[in-house]
Amino acid sequence: MNGEATILHADLDSFFASVEQRDDPALRGRPVLVGGGVVVAASYEAKAYGVRTPMGIVEAKSLCPGAVVASPRFDAYSAASKAVFEVFRDTTPLVDPVSIDEAFLEVGGLARLVGSPESIAAGLRQRVRDEVGLPITVGIARTKFLAKVASAFAKPDGLLVVPVEGERAFLHPLPVERMWGVGVKTATKLRARGVERIGDLAAVPPHALASYVGRAAAYHLHALANGRDPRPVVTGTRRRSVGAQRALGRRPKTMSEIDSALAGLVDRVARRMRKAEREGRTITLRLRFDDFERATRSHTLPRPTARTERLLLVARSLLDVAEPMIAERGCTLVGVSVSGFDPQAGVQLELPFGEPDTATLDLALDDVRERFGSAAVLRGSLVTRGEGFAMPTLPD
């Protein structure tokens, strides 16, 4: 494990909204909401009024009447992300991307050539501001977990170093919600048992935690709370899953509407998999209900695939199983992801014995969408409803 504070967690501030403010000077200093029916990003000026993602635009405007709504420009966000990652990789070759707007960087080997981790982080922040025009926050610590907590603590547009000797003093007074992986549901369980701060969590034996958060989560959270996180900054790894999701808003939805959204997401995910020459076995359906609680359902196939219809068949069967929950609790978001990739295999061509040859159709549709855009060919159920926003992602 790294014995010094040399891991940087660099995280762009309100990324989409900051790009809008950068490109339109009239928006600077004003509350900005990026989205259509749902807020996909909000500037810090809007967040000060209680606006959060993925809140509905109407609700957000009621909280912040003076907010300006900007339609998403995903090409602009992708270009900005690419420019920022060029700065990252020019700073150190050890860059571990998390998403299009954040990454871990290891700078421990640069002390003699460049300077201390803090000076390197300060230079990185200045370069991102000067060359890309965006604010970015950096946390510096011995571990990934501590660096991420530090960057969240330092936002917006800040820099915070957690020295090795000051890790417990920094971490333990923080509320348990600051823990990576602790959401509202888990935090409620912990607080009900008197575990309110990370220091409280660190003092509870893992076997005692396991009775109300599960064994795996208990040992993981206990280790992080005590500063144990052996994960290094790793480069060159491929994504372990490919997924997409769509916010549906707060209004009541029919199962037909949810099914249409799911089919569009499967189209998108399958196309990305084929482009990356990857096949997966495990299909996971993700749902968010009206009370913002979440649920997942998954199924693992006997053989990996990247065929759209095969993935859709499984996704729809999972949606059918979840229909009673949706009827009772509503649905504000649906998502699908595929995992269980064979790291050694590309897409395998299959002989279509006993089933239609949909692989040829998939490739033909991929070609049309690549040349003319994803909206060039849509499912009939999406013609009037639209396919939703295609959020930019890291390479698959």
Side-chain angles (χ1 to χ4, degrees), residues 148-301:
K148 187 172 177 68
V149 174
S151 68
F153 192 86
K155 282 185 171 292
D157 199 16
L159 170 61
L160 178 63
V161 181
V162 180
V164 174
E165 66 277 9
E167 289 178 354
R168 290 176 181 265
F170 165 71
L171 185 63
H172 283 187
L174 298 177
V176 290
E177 288 84 356
R178 290 278 190 174
M179 288 289 295
W180 197 354
V182 172
V184 174
K185 192 172 182 179
T186 301
T188 300
K189 290 181 180 179
L190 292 171
R191 287 184 175 277
R193 291 160 176 82
V195 180
E196 298 187 353
R197 303 197 177 275
I198 294 177
D200 301 330
L201 185 62
V204 179
H207 62 83
L209 283 176
S211 62
Y212 44 95
V213 300
R215 187 176 185 279
Y219 280 85
H220 177 67
L221 293 175
H222 186 265
L224 293 180
N226 283 282
R228 297 192 299 274
D229 181 10
R231 296 169 300 170
V233 172
V234 178
T235 63
T237 57
R238 302 190 75 180
R239 296 169 68 92
R240 288 179 291 183
S241 66
V242 176
Q245 62 186 29
R246 180 173 179 177
L248 302 175
R250 303 278 293 181
R251 65 173 180 80
K253 273 78 60 182
T254 65
M255 287 303 296
S256 175
E257 289 177 286
I258 299 171
D259 178 82
S260 294
L262 178 63
L265 294 173
V266 171
D267 284 343
R268 191 182 301 166
V269 168
R271 179 186 169 202
R272 285 172 52 195
M273 289 171 59
R274 290 189 293 270
K275 186 175 182 179
E277 298 186 346
R278 308 190 78 182
E279 294 183 324
R281 296 177 58 222
T282 301
I283 297 89
T284 301
L285 174 73
R286 303 182 188 280
L287 300 169
R288 189 182 65 219
F289 304 113
D290 288 354
D291 58 4
F292 288 96
E293 288 290 315
R294 295 173 181 264
T296 62
R297 298 290 183 270
S298 62
H299 177 77
T300 299
L301 296 167

Side-chain angles (χ1 to χ4, degrees), residues 240-241 279-286 296-305 310-311 313-318 321 336-342:
R240 288 179 291 183
S241 66
E279 294 183 324
R281 296 177 58 222
T282 301
I283 297 89
T284 301
L285 174 73
R286 303 182 188 280
T296 62
R297 298 290 183 270
S298 62
H299 177 77
T300 299
L301 296 167
R303 291 186 301 169
T305 186
R310 195 170 294 172
L311 296 173
L313 181 65
V314 175
R316 279 178 163 159
S317 69
L318 294 172
V321 172
V336 66
S337 64
V338 180
S339 57
F341 299 123
D342 182 347

Side-chain angles (χ1 to χ4, degrees), residues 372-395:
F372 302 108
S374 61
V377 181
L378 288 177
R379 292 178 180 269
S381 60
L382 293 173
V383 171
T384 57
R385 294 168 179 161
E387 60 178 344
F389 297 134
M391 301 290 281
T393 62
L394 292 167

Side-chain angles (χ1 to χ4, degrees), residues 53-66:
T53 56
M55 184 179 286
I57 288 287
V58 174
E59 182 182 357
K61 288 283 285 183
S62 69
L63 292 173
C64 185

